[in-house]
Amino acid sequence: VWHLRAAWAPLCFTDETPPPRSDPVAPAAVSPAAATKASRQQTIDGNTAHHFASLLDHLATLTRNRIEFTNGHHLDKLATPTPTQRRAFQLLNTPLPLTLT
């Protein structure tokens, strides 16, 4: 989970460049970029910012559907990924699944 949170920081409310902490007991400071992301609830590229759980929920909508016809034939169809889903796979350096294996 830690690796996913780090890789998907640009898509989430996570502070990508937290300021250095001089006192480990003091409350953490937020970078100006993270404050802007939180106040606008948008990422730098203008897409909706997510919490980690909401991003996982959004990625779960990328589905493979089997269409069954009455004559016994079937067709497998992949849902079209959203720009956020495409970006999530890019940040993981993993290609989108284009075929069923």
Side-chain angles (χ1 to χ4, degrees), residues 16-66:
E16 300 173 56
T17 55
R21 294 179 74 169
S22 58
D23 183 4
V25 181
V30 179
S31 70
T36 302
K37 191 191 301 187
S39 67
R40 293 183 183 164
Q41 298 199 1
Q42 291 183 343
T43 60
I44 293 171
D45 55 1
N47 291 323
T48 302
H50 289 273
H51 295 284
F52 186 73
S54 70
L55 180 59
L56 289 176
D57 290 340
H58 182 71
L59 290 172
T61 64
L62 185 58
T63 59
R64 296 178 184 188
N65 301 303
R66 176 165 282 209

